[in-house]
């Protein structure tokens, strides 16, 4: 990581703008480069953030580089937030073709300009786009991180907290696999403090409806989107948690989308596993010991990602 932390954001509408604000609020960045094909929007967002600078804890420089993607080459981290929220409202894979086409317009240009930092992609379908960035950039896959089920895991904690009354910070519970309808709760590794769900049920007289809680986590984004037609705060702060782990080399273990290497028989594309994040990106990916239900859920989830990749014919040709 350079002495000055330089971060670029591509796509500065809903999610990208909130990532920018959260980076500045948490004093993670020294130089922030905003990039969007909508030049007017890009400049307006930069101006708004600069107007806010006296209220942030750390003075940073904010630049609007518009659609000059090559100017992001000097960044340490680039966030891909280029999405089309209206398409996402149609169905979970609604952005498949538009976001993959969008990434084609900038990944190779930035790579050819000399970028050797880390990609953090939040665009959906997250696992497909992360796979695409790795293929187009031709880089070490550990330098490409999909936000994956970081957010979905927070939603599972939300559901469990609501069911029990316990603080979300006391709950360790992760959704894994596809960031989409194929994701699943890894119930065999859930804990409340040091307690298993079975121990909590026996001692606190609570009964967990596991299928319902998992479904709440899977569909939590649509609860938000139904009222505001997008999600912003949760994904932005989840993304900044990933970035902070890289910038400060914290060795955070969190579920992100990473390249699979023979994980229950699946290889060569991205999906969410528990990963150690540090200054080099994904420094290790762990494979949990799933129970039989989770193995089947993992396979179904992986098949969904693989099938979506196959729908993008030019990407399938690169695999």
């Amino acid at each position: 990581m350079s002495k000055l932390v330089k971060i670029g954001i591509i796509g500065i509408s809903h999610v990208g703008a909130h990532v920018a604000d959260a980076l500045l609020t948490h004093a993670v960045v020294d130089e922030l480069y905003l990039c969007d094909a909508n030049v007017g929007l890009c400049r307006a967002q930069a101006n708004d953030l600069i107007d806010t600078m006296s209220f942030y804890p750390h003075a940073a420089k904010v630049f609007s580089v518009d659609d000059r993607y090559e100017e992001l080459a000097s960044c340490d981290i680039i966030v891909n937030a280029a999405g089309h929220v209206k398409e996402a409202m149609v169905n979970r894979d609604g952005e498949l073709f538009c976001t993959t086409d969008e990434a084609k317009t900038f990944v190779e240009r930035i790579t050819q300009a000399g970028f050797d930092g880390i990609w953090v992609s939040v665009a959906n379908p997250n696992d497909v786009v992360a796979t695409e960035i790795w293929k187009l950039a031709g880089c070490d896959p550990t330098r490409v991180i999909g936000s994956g089920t970081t957010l979905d895991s927070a939603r599972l904690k939300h559901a469990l907290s609501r069911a029990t009354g316990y603080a979300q910070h006391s709950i360790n519970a992760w959704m894994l696999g596809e960031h989409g309808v194929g994701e699943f709760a890894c119930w065999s590794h859930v804990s409340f403090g040091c307690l298993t769900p079975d121990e909590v049920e026996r001692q606190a007289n609570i009964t967990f409806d596991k299928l319902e809680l998992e479904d709440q986590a899977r569909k939590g984004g649509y609860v938000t989107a139904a009222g505001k037609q997008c999600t912003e705060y949760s994904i932005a702060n989840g993304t900044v948690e990933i970035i902070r782990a890289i910038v400060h080399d914290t060795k955070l273990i969190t579920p992100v989308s990473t390249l699979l290497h023979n994980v229950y028989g699946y290889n060569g594309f991205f999906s969410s596993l528990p990963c150690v994040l540090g200054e080099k990106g994904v420094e290790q990916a762990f494979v949990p010991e799933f129970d039989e239900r989770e193995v089947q859920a993992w396979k179904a989830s992986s098949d969904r990602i693989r099938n979506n990749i196959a729908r993008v014919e030019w990407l399938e040709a690169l695999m």
Side-chain angles (χ1 to χ4, degrees):
M1 192 64 61
S2 60
K3 186 176 180 180
L4 288 177
V5 177
K6 300 180 180 182
I7 297 176
I9 302 176
I10 300 173
I12 199 65
S13 184
H14 296 289
V15 173
H18 281 78
V19 170
D21 179 67
L23 286 170
L24 293 165
T25 297
H26 293 288
V28 178
V29 63
D30 297 302
E31 293 185 3
L32 185 59
Y33 296 80
L34 308 184
C35 193
D36 199 290
N38 184 335
V39 172
L41 174 64
C42 194
R43 294 178 182 179
Q45 297 284 33
N47 191 67
D48 199 6
L49 292 169
I50 295 168
D51 281 345
T52 315
M53 199 57 63
S54 61
F55 304 116
Y56 291 126
H58 169 68
K61 295 180 179 179
V62 179
F63 305 94
S64 174
V65 299
D66 306 337
D67 57 356
R68 303 186 302 277
Y69 299 113
E70 288 81 1
E71 294 187 29
L72 301 181
S74 64
C75 291
D76 302 294
I77 298 167
I78 294 176
V79 178
N80 172 31
H84 299 266
V85 66
K86 290 182 179 180
E87 299 297 330
M89 296 298 291
V90 176
N91 65 65
R92 201 66 179 83
D93 301 321
E95 295 176 275
L96 176 63
F97 298 107
C98 55
T99 52
T100 51
D101 283 347
E102 191 101 18
K104 278 181 22 178
T105 67
F106 56 76
V107 174
E108 290 178 302
R109 285 174 59 181
I110 294 170
T111 300
Q112 290 167 5
F115 178 65
D116 62 356
I118 295 171
W119 291 92
V120 176
S121 185
V122 300
N124 288 319
N126 193 255
D127 309 287
V128 177
V129 177
T131 303
E132 173 192 10
I133 290 173
W134 165 56
K135 283 294 187 179
L136 292 179
C139 64
D140 184 333
T142 62
R143 288 174 39 215
V144 178
I145 301 171
S147 55
T149 57
T150 294
L151 173 55
D152 309 295
S153 298
R155 289 171 175 154
L156 179 58
K157 292 178 185 179
H158 174 189
L160 290 168
S161 176
R162 187 169 54 229
T164 61
Y166 304 148
Q168 291 186 38
H169 286 97
S170 300
I171 301 170
N172 184 54
W174 288 0
M175 301 290 283
L176 295 177
E178 180 195 29
H179 174 58
V181 297
E183 65 195 356
F184 62 96
C186 187
W187 279 103
S188 64
H189 290 66
V190 169
S191 64
F192 297 80
C194 68
L195 302 171
T196 67
D198 287 345
E199 290 172 323
V200 171
E201 285 187 317
R202 288 196 302 271
Q203 296 182 45
N205 195 29
I206 293 172
T207 300
F208 294 117
D209 186 336
K210 293 182 178 179
L211 292 178
E212 171 61 24
L213 290 164
E214 180 179 71
D215 202 47
Q216 288 178 26
R218 187 180 293 114
K219 296 178 180 177
Y222 283 95
V223 174
T224 301
K228 59 187 285 186
Q229 286 70 59
C230 65
T231 62
E232 300 166 312
Y233 308 120
S234 51
I235 183 56
N237 281 278
T239 303
V240 171
E241 180 178 67
I242 292 168
I243 292 171
R244 277 196 295 191
I246 299 166
V247 170
H248 299 303
D249 194 27
T250 63
K251 314 303 185 189
L252 173 73
I253 301 178
T254 192
V256 294
S257 189
T258 191
L259 182 65
L260 302 184
H261 299 283
N262 194 26
V263 179
Y264 294 94
Y266 290 86
N267 294 281
F269 58 89
F270 280 55
S271 186
S272 282
L273 289 170
C275 293
V276 180
L277 302 183
E279 63 181 355
K280 297 178 182 178
V282 174
E283 299 190 353
Q284 183 170 357
F286 290 105
V287 179
E289 293 184 8
F290 292 146
D291 62 27
E292 185 54 37
R293 183 199 72 88
E294 292 161 351
V295 170
Q296 296 308 312
W298 172 263
K299 291 180 177 180
S301 177
S302 299
D303 286 340
R304 273 192 50 84
I305 298 169
R306 194 70 187 83
N307 289 340
N308 269 337
I309 290 173
R311 291 172 63 195
V312 185
E313 294 181 3
W314 65 266
L315 178 56
E316 173 70 6
L318 296 178
M319 300 299 288

